[in-house]
Amino acid sequence: MAFWKPGTIAPGSAVDRDTENETDKAVIAHAEQQFRHLTIKQQRERLPVFKLRRELLYLIDNYQTVIVVGQTGCGKTTQIPQYLDEAGWTTNGKQVACTQPRRIAATSVAERVAEEKNCRLGSEVGYLIRFEDQTSQQTRIKYMTDGMLFRETMIDPLLSRYSVIMIDEAHERSLYTDILLGVIKKIQKKRSDLRVIISSATLDAEAFYRFFNHNTSTTDKGKDTATIISLEGRMYPVDILYSDKPVDDYVEKSIQTVFDIHTKEPAGDILIFLTGREEIDTVVAELYERSRTLPERSMTLMPLPLYAGLTSEEQLQIFQPTPPHSRKVIVSTNIAEASVTLEGIVYVIDCGFVKVRAYNPKTGMEALVVTPVSKASALQRAGRAGRVRPGKAFRLYTEETYSTLQDTSIPEIQRSNLAPVILQLKALGIDNVLRFDFLTPPPAELMIRALELLYSLNALDDVGRLTIPLGIHLAEFPVDPMLGKILLASGDFKCSEEIVSIAAILSVQKVFINPSGKSTTKDQTILDSRRKFWVEEGDHLSLLNVYNAFIKHKSGKWCHDRFLNFKALSRAISIRQQLVRYLKRFKVPMISALKHFDNEKASEQIRKCLTSGYFAQAARAEQDGSGRFRTIRDNVLLSIHPDSVLFNRNPQWVVFHEVVETNQAYMRDLTVIEPDWLTELAPHFYEFKGDSKK
DNA sequence: GAGCACTGC
C-alpha cells in the first residue's frame, strides 16, 4: 500500500498493522451498547468529564469565563449544564443556556438530558430553535441554536435571565457564535455575575482565553478573569497514514485505497471525504463497477453516497446497520465531518479538500471554491474512524503537504455577506460596527460593501444610523435585507400575499429534487413535471406556482410524483406564517395581486416589487448573442443557471436572487424586468447610469 | 451545454 505511517520502517511494513491484534471481533460491538445495563447515574459517572466536576465548578465560581477544551465523547455538552443546575446556578428563576450551531444538536442533546434527569422535555430541560419552543416557566437548562440566543439579545440586551451561558462547539466559528462572543464580552462588563463557558477544540483555546481575559496586568495571573481546563476524550486511537508521494487525482486514488483496505484490512466500514456531489456519484459508480472483479468469497462492498441534497429515503440507507459479510463505504461531503455522525466507521479516507463559500466584496458575489482543508478539519475527519474501536485514517496527501495546511479554517464571519449582521448589531445599539470587538474582525471591504447596500436600501441614513421605521423593521425581520425590503414594500405594490409566498420559498433549500444519478435537464419525466409550473417571466413566479399548487395538496405523495421536496415545502409554510406575523406587526396590508388585477398586471406588480428590493442585482443580456449577461452595477459577466426557467430563453433584463460561482458565475432564481423600472424604483442607485441602457 | 459545500433566524 502506498501509504506511509510516520515512525515505521517502510510503506506497508508489518509494523503498520500493530493495532490489528486489538481489533478483535468482540471489540466491534458498539461502544455504547456495552454499558446499556448501567444505571443512568453510573453512566454519567463513567464519563471523563465527571472526574473534573469539582474543579470545573470551582473555576466557574472564580472566573468570569472558563474555556473548556474537550474531545468528542467526553460528555461536556450533556453534563456541564447539569452540574451547574445541581450546584445551584439555577435558583431564583435563573437559567443555564447552552448554544449549538445546529438545530439537530440542540434538540437531540436536550432530549438526552431530559431522559437523564428523568423529566419531560420542555419542563426542567428544554430547547429553543426557530419554530419550536420546547421550554416553559420551569425550564432551568435550555439548549438553543446560537442564532436564537443572539435574537434574544434584541429583546433582553443583557441576557438577564441567564446565570451561565455555555457556547458549545465554539471552534466551529459559526457566524452567530462569533457575533455572540463579541456581544457577550460586552455584557460581561455590565454583568459581573454572568458566567460564560466556551467549549472549544485544543487549537483555538488560547485565542478564546486572550479574548475573554480582562486582566490588564501581564505579570499577575491571579487577576485573570478567564481560564482554560482540559478534559480527556473517550476515543480510540486512530493511526494516521500519509501518501508517500503527492496525489494528482484524489478521486481515482480514493477508489484504489478502498480496494487496498478491502483486500488487506479486517472488517469495518469506510468513510471517504470528497468535495461535492459530482465526485461522489463518480466514486460510488466506480466502486460498484470494480467490485464485480472481486473474488467470489470476499466481503460485499456497499458504496453509498452522502450529501445534504439526498432524499430522506436515500439517507435512511446510510444509517442501516451493515449487513453480515459486508463493508459499507460511505462517500460523503463535509457533512460527515461534524453535522452527521456515523456509527461503525473504522477507516477514513481524506482527500484533503473541501468546498467552501467565499464572498467577493468587489462584486457582491458568492463563489464555491475547492480549497485545502485545515489541520483542525483533517484531525476531525480522522477522528471519525475512532468512535467504536481503534481505526485508521488514510490521508491522500503527503505529510509535508499536511505541514503546510492552515491550523484552522477561515471563520464564516470573514467570508460572508455582512449586511444582515450589521443591521442586527446596529439594532443592539452598536453604532460603530467597524470598531465592534470581534474575535477576528472581518475585512474592512466586506463591511464597506454591506454598509453601501444598506444605505442604498434606505435602511441606514447619511450618518449610518438605522432609519425609522424601515431600518428597524429590516433588522428585526428574520430574512436577508433585500428580501425584507420587498416584503415591506409589497403592500404598496398590492401583492403582499404573493411576495410573502415567494419570500418563504426562497428561504428554504431546494424545492426541486434532483434524483442522484439522473440528469434533471435531460430526463423527460422530470422536465415535464417541472414545466407545468413554469412561466416565461421567470423563476420567482414559477416558484409561486409551485407554492400555490402545494398548499392545495400538502401531501408527500403529490410532491414525490412531481419531484418536489415535501420537507422543504412544508417548512416554507411555517416560514410564511412567521413572515405574515411580522408583516401584520409592521402594518403591511395583506393584498393579493392575483385577486385584484388580471394576470398580466398582477405579474407586473410582483416583478416591480421584486425590482424595488433587488435593483442592486440587475443584469442585462450581452448583445453578442452569447446568452451571457453583465451586471448593471459592476459590469460582471454572468450566466443563467441551467436549472432556471429562463435558461436558453434569452431574456434581456433581469433581477436575480443570488449568484453562485462554480466554473462560471451563475445567476439563480431570476425574473424578467423592464429597464425603466430600475430608474423608476431606484433612482438614487441608477441616476448616474441612465446611459447604460443604450 | 452544464450543474449547490454546510448551517441559522
Side-chain angles (χ1 to χ4, degrees):
Chain A
M1 204 178 309
F3 284 95
W4 174 60
K5 175 186 164 193
T8 57
I9 306 144
S13 87
V15 192
D16 283 3
R17 310 252 161 77
D18 60 2
T19 50
E20 269 183 27
N21 301 331
E22 301 161 37
T23 58
D24 191 285
K25 284 225 174 76
V27 192
I28 303 176
H30 189 283
E32 301 292 334
Q33 294 288 349
Q34 300 170 46
F35 301 102
R36 271 284 160 86
H37 62 280
L38 299 178
T39 64
I40 282 176
K41 181 166 179 290
Q42 286 168 323
Q43 283 187 40
R44 284 188 65 194
E45 291 174 1
R46 258 193 76 249
L47 290 165
V49 66
F50 181 71
K51 278 183 269 177
L52 291 166
R53 185 180 189 273
R54 280 186 58 195
E55 186 181 351
L56 205 54
L57 288 170
Y58 171 82
L59 293 176
I60 292 162
D61 263 330
N62 290 283
Y63 291 87
Q64 272 195 297
T65 309
V66 177
I67 292 117
V68 176
V69 178
Q71 292 176 357
T72 325
C74 72
K76 57 184 159 49
T77 311
T78 55
Q79 301 308 303
I80 294 176
Q82 292 189 71
Y83 298 166
L84 293 166
D85 182 36
E86 290 153 10
W89 284 94
T90 53
T91 51
N92 304 325
K94 294 276 186 187
Q95 294 182 327
V96 169
C98 178
T99 70
Q100 297 292 324
R102 282 171 293 280
R103 297 157 55 93
I104 180 84
T107 56
S108 59
V109 173
E111 270 168 35
R112 169 74 196 164
V113 173
E115 201 182 306
E116 286 187 11
K117 286 185 79 74
N118 195 24
C119 69
R120 195 177 49 79
L121 189 62
S123 58
E124 291 156 52
V125 180
Y127 67 81
L128 177 68
I129 61 176
R130 190 183 187 184
F131 304 129
E132 266 182 83
D133 183 357
Q134 284 283 0
T135 65
S136 63
Q137 288 295 321
Q138 318 155 40
T139 303
R140 302 199 302 267
I141 299 175
K142 183 164 154 189
Y143 291 91
M144 61 207 299
T145 44
D146 46 18
M148 272 311 226
L149 186 61
F150 179 61
R151 231 151 231 280
E152 267 188 30
T153 61
M154 294 199 189
I155 301 156
D156 178 6
L158 292 180
L159 296 173
S160 52
R161 69 204 292 183
Y162 303 107
S163 56
V164 186
I165 294 170
M166 174 167 169
I167 309 285
D168 204 6
E169 313 287 0
H171 58 274
E172 283 189 30
R173 304 289 304 276
S174 84
L175 187 64
Y176 283 109
T177 290
D178 267 28
I179 303 167
L180 272 175
L181 293 173
V183 172
I184 286 175
K185 184 174 175 180
K186 245 176 127 72
I187 294 174
Q188 279 185 328
K189 289 177 185 152
K190 293 182 184 153
R191 273 193 64 195
S192 56
D193 62 313
L194 177 69
R195 290 295 179 271
V196 178
I197 299 170
I198 308 291
S199 117
S200 139
T202 322
L203 288 160
D204 312 73
E206 194 64 30
F208 290 120
Y209 166 77
R210 282 196 302 273
F211 184 71
F212 278 105
N213 191 11
H214 305 303
N215 182 4
T216 46
S217 150
T218 48
T219 46
D220 186 3
K221 284 282 256 182
K223 287 184 181 154
D224 273 10
T225 65
T227 188
I228 302 177
I229 179 172
S230 291
L231 308 172
E232 62 181 275
R234 204 179 54 193
M235 293 270 296
Y236 294 92
V238 175
D239 266 353
I240 310 279
L241 297 119
Y242 292 96
S243 173
D244 55 355
K245 54 178 192 288
V247 170
D248 49 29
D249 181 354
Y250 62 72
V251 173
E252 174 59 28
K253 183 77 180 176
S254 68
I255 298 167
Q256 289 169 11
T257 308
V258 168
F259 284 99
D260 281 345
I261 294 170
H262 194 56
T263 51
K264 293 175 193 155
E265 301 278 347
D269 294 341
I270 304 173
L271 170 62
I272 312 181
F273 285 101
L274 294 173
T275 69
R277 180 175 172 168
E278 198 180 343
E279 288 171 6
I280 290 169
D281 286 344
T282 307
V283 169
V284 168
E286 279 294 310
L287 286 174
Y288 262 119
E289 193 57 37
R290 294 190 209 173
S291 70
R292 292 204 216 142
T293 62
L294 285 169
E296 254 181 46
R297 285 165 64 200
S298 63
M299 278 194 293
T300 313
L301 211 52
M302 288 179 61
L304 295 166
L306 174 61
Y307 40 81
L310 289 181
T311 62
S312 323
E313 297 117 42
E314 288 171 312
Q315 278 183 19
L316 271 180
Q317 284 194 60
I318 308 272
F319 299 105
Q320 300 286 332
T322 309
H325 203 62
S326 307
R327 192 199 296 274
K328 261 200 266 186
V329 185
I330 294 167
V331 194
S332 173
T333 62
N334 216 33
I335 194 170
E337 192 181 299
S339 307
V340 171
T341 298
L342 302 157
E343 299 303 337
I345 302 294
V346 178
Y347 308 97
V348 160
I349 300 172
D350 175 11
C351 78
F353 291 91
V354 63
K355 212 178 265 189
V356 290
R357 184 170 59 194
Y359 181 79
N360 181 345
K362 290 204 173 59
T363 58
M365 297 192 326
E366 287 176 338
L368 281 164
V369 199
V370 174
T371 48
V373 293
S374 65
K375 284 180 183 146
S377 259
L379 192 69
Q380 174 77 11
R381 288 179 173 191
R384 294 287 166 175
R387 292 180 62 84
V388 289
R389 63 170 159 119
K392 290 187 181 182
F394 299 84
R395 291 184 172 158
L396 305 187
Y397 41 94
T398 63
E399 193 174 16
E400 203 218 320
T401 303
Y402 173 78
S403 69
T404 65
L405 297 176
Q406 300 258 350
D407 280 349
T408 53
S409 317
I410 297 170
E412 212 180 343
I413 199 156
Q414 295 185 318
R415 51 188 169 84
S416 302
N417 169 13
L418 295 177
V421 175
I422 289 175
L423 270 184
Q424 289 166 344
L425 288 176
K426 283 191 184 273
L428 287 180
I430 298 160
D431 281 323
N432 193 342
V433 287
L434 290 166
R435 279 216 252 133
F436 180 70
D437 197 356
F438 289 104
L439 180 60
T440 50
E445 50 181 352
L446 226 55
M447 285 279 200
I448 290 160
R449 175 89 192 192
L451 287 165
E452 272 173 18
L453 175 74
L454 291 171
Y455 178 74
S456 79
L457 288 170
N458 288 327
L460 299 179
D461 65 17
D462 288 345
V463 290
R465 281 176 314 207
L466 287 182
T467 53
I468 300 168
L470 183 63
I472 305 273
H473 288 171
L474 286 178
E476 282 181 45
F477 237 144
V479 290
D480 179 271
M482 288 190 285
L483 204 53
K485 171 95 179 190
I486 62 166
L487 283 160
L488 292 170
S490 63
D492 297 336
F493 288 95
K494 297 190 166 51
C495 58
S496 36
E497 292 282 359
E498 287 80 13
I499 289 291
V500 74
S501 302
I502 291 170
I505 213 164
L506 287 172
S507 302
V508 298
Q509 283 147 349
K510 292 196 164 190
V511 169
F512 297 107
I513 290 169
N514 296 340
S516 61
K518 278 187 189 166
S519 168
T520 45
T521 40
K522 273 183 196 150
D523 189 297
Q524 207 55 40
T525 345
I526 301 175
L527 208 54
D528 285 347
S529 74
R530 283 192 186 177
R531 281 201 175 123
K532 295 207 173 73
F533 303 109
W534 284 10
V535 289
E536 60 186 5
E537 292 101 318
D539 297 300
H540 293 94
L541 288 164
S542 302
L543 287 170
L544 177 65
N545 282 340
V546 173
Y547 184 87
N548 286 339
F550 175 67
I551 52 169
K552 282 189 199 128
H553 301 86
K554 282 188 192 172
S555 94
K557 181 173 187 315
W558 184 84
C559 288
H560 186 263
D561 294 346
R562 284 158 188 80
F563 304 97
L564 296 171
N565 186 338
F566 177 68
K567 262 163 74 181
L569 284 164
S570 307
R571 190 168 161 80
I573 291 182
S574 304
I575 293 178
R576 189 183 192 277
Q577 288 165 343
Q578 189 190 35
L579 296 178
V580 168
R581 285 198 295 274
Y582 276 93
L583 288 180
K584 286 216 170 107
R585 193 147 64 75
F586 299 151
K587 307 263 187 299
V588 175
M590 295 306 294
I591 306 167
S592 166
L594 288 165
K595 283 185 190 146
H596 254 76
F597 308 110
D598 61 49
N599 272 353
E600 196 178 329
K601 178 72 178 162
S603 153
E604 184 179 318
Q605 289 298 110
I606 293 165
R607 289 182 294 134
K608 273 189 162 178
C609 184
L610 289 167
T611 310
S612 77
Y614 282 85
F615 54 83
Q617 299 194 346
R620 180 195 191 187
E622 291 266 81
Q623 299 308 299
D624 59 4
S626 63
R628 306 257 205 132
F629 286 73
R630 295 255 176 207
T631 59
I632 313 299
R633 191 198 150 149
D634 299 305
N635 212 34
V636 176
L637 193 64
L638 298 173
S639 304
I640 297 182
H641 194 283
D643 276 350
S644 170
V645 167
L646 297 176
F647 188 66
N648 282 340
R649 289 217 181 185
N650 306 317
Q652 289 303 297
W653 294 79
V654 294
V655 287
F656 52 88
H657 181 64
E658 61 180 0
V659 171
V660 160
E661 198 177 340
T662 49
N663 296 325
Q664 290 183 53
Y666 291 102
M667 299 178 277
R668 292 178 47 103
D669 296 321
L670 38 147
T671 277
V672 180
I673 59 158
E674 296 294 330
D676 297 343
W677 297 351
L678 292 173
T679 41
E680 177 192 331
L681 298 165
H684 53 294
F685 200 75
Y686 284 110
E687 58 189 348
F688 304 112
K689 302 192 176 182
D691 59 342
S692 65
K693 276 190 276 172
K694 295 184 188 105

